[in-house]
Amino acid sequence: MFMIAMIAALAASQPSTQDPPTPDIVGPRQLCFKYSSFLLNEGERVVDVRMGLEGMGIEVAGPRGSYSIRESEIFAPASLGRRTQRMGGTSYYRLRGPLRYAVTGRTDYSPARDTLVLWLSGSAFTGQPDDASIYTRVTIADPAPLHCDHRYLYGWDVALDNDE
């Protein structure tokens, strides 16, 4: 019974530390997540947002097709494939098989080594060098000092509306 009451309370709560997970955000916009940020370009639109306790994701539609960005602090270790680029403290990897990109960097829970923070995939990616025009708009770094047009957070602190 306690668990049912807790789940109902979490479902009804609206954390004040983030924007509601509203889709139909049109670029250009700076989107901030828990451990990263993303620049939504002109002509791109967020069409879906999914929030959870251990991660979040957005679906973006744009002129090149659609793609998803998934962030979590508990992704299972995975083979990252071939590194395609490194910018600042963020590394981008292309995986073989179904085309997708992994994005790694240092976070407050992993300050001494890069960790997998994001997955990107979708029809907008072709495996060609111009995929970098999408994936390099993701930066792994504390987004707190940024001016964020929309901020999407997740985790128990957010669900319970605790200040970090």
Side-chain angles (χ1 to χ4, degrees), residues 23-31 33 38-48 58-69 120-121 123-125 130-138 150:
D24 284 335
I25 297 162
V26 178
R29 295 284 185 260
Q30 175 79 47
L31 306 180
F33 311 129
F38 177 71
L39 294 170
L40 187 69
N41 275 351
E42 181 87 30
E44 294 180 322
R45 170 186 305 267
V46 174
V47 294
D48 192 24
I58 64 171
E59 302 294 325
V60 176
R64 290 182 47 177
S66 63
Y67 57 94
S68 65
I69 301 171
L120 295 102
S121 62
S123 66
F125 295 110
D130 66 339
D131 285 354
S133 69
I134 297 173
Y135 65 72
T136 58
R137 289 186 274 139
V138 172
H150 297 277

Side-chain angles (χ1 to χ4, degrees), residues 66-133:
S66 63
Y67 57 94
S68 65
I69 301 171
R70 303 275 183 259
E71 182 186 283
S72 178
E73 56 194 10
I74 63 161
F75 282 132
S79 172
L80 297 179
R82 181 182 61 84
R83 185 163 76 182
T84 59
Q85 200 161 355
R86 181 161 178 91
M87 293 175 49
T90 304
S91 292
Y92 309 91
Y93 296 83
R94 178 178 173 205
L95 276 74
R96 290 187 177 151
L99 183 58
R100 60 187 180 150
Y101 291 89
V103 185
T104 68
R106 296 185 182 193
T107 64
D108 61 354
Y109 69 89
S110 178
R113 64 176 178 82
D114 284 2
T115 189
L116 176 60
V117 177
L118 285 147
W119 286 109
L120 295 102
S121 62
S123 66
F125 295 110
T126 63
Q128 300 301 311
D130 66 339
D131 285 354
S133 69

